[in-house]
Amino acid sequence: MTSILSKYSNLTQRIIAAIIGVLLLGFGTYYSQWMYFTLFLAICIITQLEFYKLVGLDGMLPLKTYGTFMGGTIFTLSFLIEGGYLGPNFYLLIFPIGALNYLIYLYRKKELKPFRGIAFTFLGVFYISVPFSLLNVIAFSQTIYAYELILGSMFILWANDTGAYFTGVRYGKRKLFERVSPKKSWEGFTGGLILAVGMAYTISHFTTVLDTWQWISIGFIITICGTYGDLVESLFKRSIEIKDSGRLIPGHGGFLDRFDGLLLSAPFISAFLKIF
């Protein structure tokens, strides 16, 4: 896909890739909970592999295969438990699976700094797979699979990204966090917020799973947390001196670039839905 779109401008690639992504995720999430599970498990795995590849560029040596296995297992367990296929006691399996991380490093004789590898292996799980797993908490927060919650959150996130990008390009002057991301501006943040809240308000009129105030609250959560998630990923990329996390999505970079806002938003959205 990247080679096919390479003849177009970056903006055109960005738009085409976004349309394809929206259609794929939208149809899969709407079609069935198992299609949703398959799509987001794949995204979780690809994103975590991307993360481990990047920390490897900085000289770190996490357990790429086992760490990704841990992440995929946590996502799968959360889906099966939240969906009612397994009891909540199966969450306890996460701890022995995680503990094996230490034993693997114990038998790796050539590791000079094993605990650094252990730390970055766990970081990949905590930073990537745990937020993706919390999407399952969101999806089943109404006791049954509610695709509206996943699709609604994704549409709000995309609206925020779109509003921030185009407003920032056109009107951006005052820097939001120049030390980490020189191109981000307060104008872009405001444009993203307006479009995200507008999207949330619109969605509230087409679904009954949440009240209007709850959707608007999610709009604010996604705008604020999504912006910080983007900044956190920018800080990570700056620390290893790269521009994009990958090239898998034309015009957008890698999966980590595309879903960075979701990684920080999902914990707050799931907590909000469980409490309120």
Side-chain angles (χ1 to χ4, degrees):
M1 181 178 175
T2 301
S3 58
I4 296 174
L5 297 180
S6 60
K7 60 182 178 180
Y8 299 108
S9 67
N10 183 267
L11 178 59
T12 302
Q13 291 182 45
R14 190 181 183 93
I15 293 172
I16 294 173
I19 292 173
I20 294 173
V22 168
L23 291 175
L24 180 62
L25 288 177
F27 173 76
T29 303
Y30 170 79
Y31 184 74
S32 76
Q33 62 190 50
W34 291 104
M35 183 69 77
Y36 150 78
F37 165 75
T38 303
L39 279 173
F40 277 90
L41 175 61
I43 293 170
C44 177
I45 289 172
I46 293 170
T47 307
Q48 195 168 346
L49 285 171
E50 202 171 76
F51 174 81
Y52 285 140
K53 179 182 176 181
L54 293 178
V55 297
L57 296 176
D58 202 34
M60 308 304 171
L61 297 173
L63 293 176
K64 185 177 179 180
T65 302
Y66 189 73
T68 306
F69 167 75
M70 279 196 293
T73 300
I74 291 172
F75 182 87
T76 302
L77 279 174
S78 69
F79 175 83
L80 295 175
I81 293 168
E82 297 300 326
Y85 299 100
L86 294 176
N89 53 308
F90 278 87
Y91 271 128
L92 293 173
L93 289 175
I94 293 173
F95 299 103
I97 291 172
L100 287 177
N101 189 25
Y102 301 104
L103 301 184
I104 293 171
Y105 272 100
L106 187 65
Y107 286 94
R108 287 167 70 106
K109 299 179 181 179
K110 296 182 180 180
E111 288 290 342
L112 298 178
K113 296 182 178 180
F115 270 82
R116 187 170 66 174
I118 290 171
F120 275 95
T121 301
F122 278 128
L123 179 60
V125 174
F126 188 78
Y127 180 41
I128 307 297
S129 70
V130 170
F132 274 107
S133 299
L134 288 172
L135 289 179
N136 297 321
V137 176
I138 296 170
F140 291 101
S141 62
Q142 307 294 311
T143 66
I144 61 172
Y145 175 66
Y147 70 87
E148 300 97 330
L149 293 175
I150 298 299
L151 277 184
S153 297
M154 296 304 297
F155 275 117
I156 294 170
L157 179 65
W158 292 329
N160 175 58
D161 288 345
T162 302
Y165 177 79
F166 286 104
T167 307
V169 169
R170 179 65 179 85
Y171 301 105
K173 293 181 180 179
R174 290 173 291 182
K175 302 300 180 183
L176 178 66
F177 213 115
E178 190 171 10
R179 177 174 61 86
V180 174
S181 185
K183 292 184 179 180
K184 290 201 181 315
S185 64
W186 280 105
E187 291 81 3
F189 173 81
T190 304
L193 175 63
I194 292 172
L195 198 58
V197 172
M199 176 64 74
Y201 180 76
T202 302
I203 291 170
S204 70
H205 286 73
F206 290 92
T207 176
T208 58
V209 293
L210 296 178
D211 294 331
T212 299
W213 74 269
Q214 291 173 306
W215 278 115
I216 291 176
S217 297
I218 290 175
F220 277 97
I221 290 171
I222 287 176
T223 300
I224 296 170
C225 296
T227 300
Y228 273 114
D230 199 339
L231 289 170
V232 167
E233 200 234 352
S234 294
L235 181 65
F236 168 59
K237 291 189 295 185
R238 185 171 288 270
S239 69
I240 56 178
E241 300 178 341
I242 62 168
K243 182 178 182 296
D244 294 319
S245 66
R247 297 180 180 179
L248 290 176
I249 308 176
H252 294 268
F255 276 72
L256 190 55
D257 293 315
R258 184 63 277 167
F259 292 96
D260 53 4
L262 180 68
L263 299 180
L264 209 60
S265 298
F268 287 88
I269 296 172
S270 58
F272 170 76
L273 291 176
K274 282 295 186 180
I275 295 172
F276 298 102

